[in-house]
Amino acid sequence: MKFAKGVAAGLAAAPVVLSLPAGAAVGGMSQAEKLRRLDIMLMVTGLRCRHTADNFQPDYGRFTTNHIGTLNAASNTLKADLARKYGAAGANRALDRMSVQMANQYGQGHPWLSCGQLKQVTKTLADMRGVQPLVEAADELLDDSGPHQLAWVRK
């Protein structure tokens, strides 16, 4: 709970945020794809922010360590889903395309979160437990239609 308060305090300095429905741009994705994309987004933005005062590489490391089972299960599920749709070779190409697209998308930064805000978000995500809170966070963080309230940080 103290991390949620820290994120709320950190985001209080952000511009006024809109209250939009969670997942407006990511609603059609499977849970596995949302988790994979969340991981890629954090990895790429973490690399982008690593030479700033808001380096969150250690927080991202804690996130992956604490959620490795969930992230691996999501990756395996996503690969299996893609294999059913495209065959084994096609699944690998589709996953590679998705990874490159996400890396390119977030290589210039998150559309509405600064490095400092991403650092606070990543700290909170590292301490979350269970799949559902991560999926809820992904719904908001991956939606590039505009800033969100990030209601999940208060849970």
Side-chain angles (χ1 to χ4, degrees):
M1 203 49 152
K2 76 177 183 181
F3 284 97
K5 288 179 184 174
V7 171
L11 294 178
V16 176
V17 293
L18 304 172
S19 180
L20 299 173
V26 293
M29 287 182 213
S30 70
Q31 178 174 295
E33 184 175 351
K34 288 177 187 180
L35 292 174
R36 179 69 182 137
R37 286 177 177 266
L38 176 65
D39 186 32
I40 292 170
M41 183 274 293
L42 292 173
M43 176 186 61
V44 171
T45 56
L47 289 170
R48 185 179 181 280
C49 296
R50 76 183 179 271
H51 297 297
T52 71
D54 296 308
N55 175 17
F56 61 93
Q57 290 283 265
D59 303 304
Y60 174 69
R62 241 174 16 88
F63 167 79
T64 56
T65 297
N66 291 348
H67 298 291
I68 194 70
T70 299
L71 296 172
N72 284 343
S75 181
N76 291 338
T77 298
L78 183 56
K79 285 178 190 175
D81 290 346
L82 291 170
R84 281 190 290 282
K85 189 171 183 179
Y86 301 112
N92 288 333
R93 283 191 301 273
L95 197 55
D96 286 346
R97 273 193 309 273
M98 183 184 86
S99 297
V100 169
Q101 180 262 339
M102 286 294 293
N104 288 339
Q105 179 181 355
Y106 290 106
Q108 297 303 311
H110 192 278
W112 48 272
L113 289 173
S114 68
C115 289
Q117 293 165 325
L118 284 162
K119 181 176 184 166
Q120 290 300 313
V121 163
T122 306
K123 283 182 181 182
T124 299
L125 290 171
D127 290 325
M128 287 183 166
R129 296 295 176 253
V131 173
Q132 197 53 42
L134 294 178
V135 172
E136 290 174 19
D139 282 338
E140 293 189 25
L141 293 169
L142 298 175
D143 185 351
D144 61 0
S145 67
H148 292 269
Q149 294 275 343
L150 299 179
W152 52 270
V153 299
R154 293 186 292 275
K155 290 186 178 185

